[in-house]
Amino acid sequence: MSNLLVVVAIMGALGVTTAHRTGALPRALVFEAWPLVLGTRALSTTAAASVVGAVSVLAMDITFRAMSGEAIFSLSTAMSTVAVTGSAGLWGFLLGVLIRNPLLVLFVVPATLLPGQVIADVAPDAAHLLPWGAQIALSGLAPTELDAGAVIGALAGWTLALGLIACLVSSRRDGA
């Protein structure tokens, strides 16, 4: 699951960086209406990432059922995992808006998620307050002693902060 989150985040970043680089996001349109363009693109990226999450959850569950005869995910864990996958896509998208370089996002996006993975064994509760750790905890796949509200707040805070930075940079860089 953790690899899926990283891959989906990279896909979200690559979607916006390659669209910008190839001209699929026309500079004039981004220049004049960047909030609408990027907002719509953020929603579609989040939705696409959620679909990838749903397909992945379904594939894992079908495979596990075929091998063991039991379900690997409860309905609530499956739904949480799909939602968390959407948030990973949004995370990558926001980083892609900031970076705008397809090659660079291949390194930067995982680097933003790596600290949570690195400290997960040593300090799991601290890891669950970082973006990757919060996503894993909210999926229901990693136990946490933290209150769900604290984990949701941490993920929302990180995402909101990154979103505000992306908006600030876009408004200045694109002249809006």
Side-chain angles (χ1 to χ4, degrees):
M1 180 62 204
S2 65
N3 291 338
L4 176 64
L5 294 176
V6 173
V7 168
V8 168
I10 291 171
M11 288 172 44
L14 284 175
V16 71
T17 58
T18 56
H20 195 305
R21 177 142 316 201
T22 62
L25 286 176
R27 183 141 178 86
L29 182 60
V30 173
F31 182 75
E32 294 172 11
W34 69 265
L36 178 63
V37 172
L38 294 181
T40 304
R41 191 84 189 195
L43 287 173
S44 66
T45 299
T46 303
S50 295
V51 169
V52 169
V55 169
S56 299
V57 165
L58 185 62
M60 285 187 271
D61 199 56
I62 289 171
T63 303
F64 194 78
R65 280 181 196 255
M67 292 171 46
S68 69
E70 297 179 23
I72 192 171
F73 294 106
S74 67
L75 181 59
S76 66
T77 302
M79 298 303 286
S80 297
T81 302
V82 170
V84 162
T85 306
S87 77
L90 179 61
W91 181 261
F93 170 82
L94 293 171
L95 287 169
V97 168
L98 288 172
I99 298 168
R100 289 192 178 177
N101 183 322
L103 184 58
L104 192 55
V105 298
L106 294 174
F107 300 100
V108 173
V109 172
T112 65
L113 299 173
L114 186 62
Q117 293 175 342
V118 170
I119 68 168
D121 289 336
V122 179
D125 288 340
H128 292 153
L129 295 175
L130 297 173
W132 174 85
Q135 291 168 339
I136 291 293
L138 291 174
S139 71
L141 298 174
T144 183
E145 298 292 321
L146 296 174
D147 178 55
V151 178
I152 290 169
L155 182 57
W158 283 107
T159 305
L160 182 62
L162 185 58
L164 289 173
I165 293 167
C167 285
L168 241 167
V169 169
S170 291
S171 69
R172 292 182 194 271
R173 179 172 48 203
D174 296 330

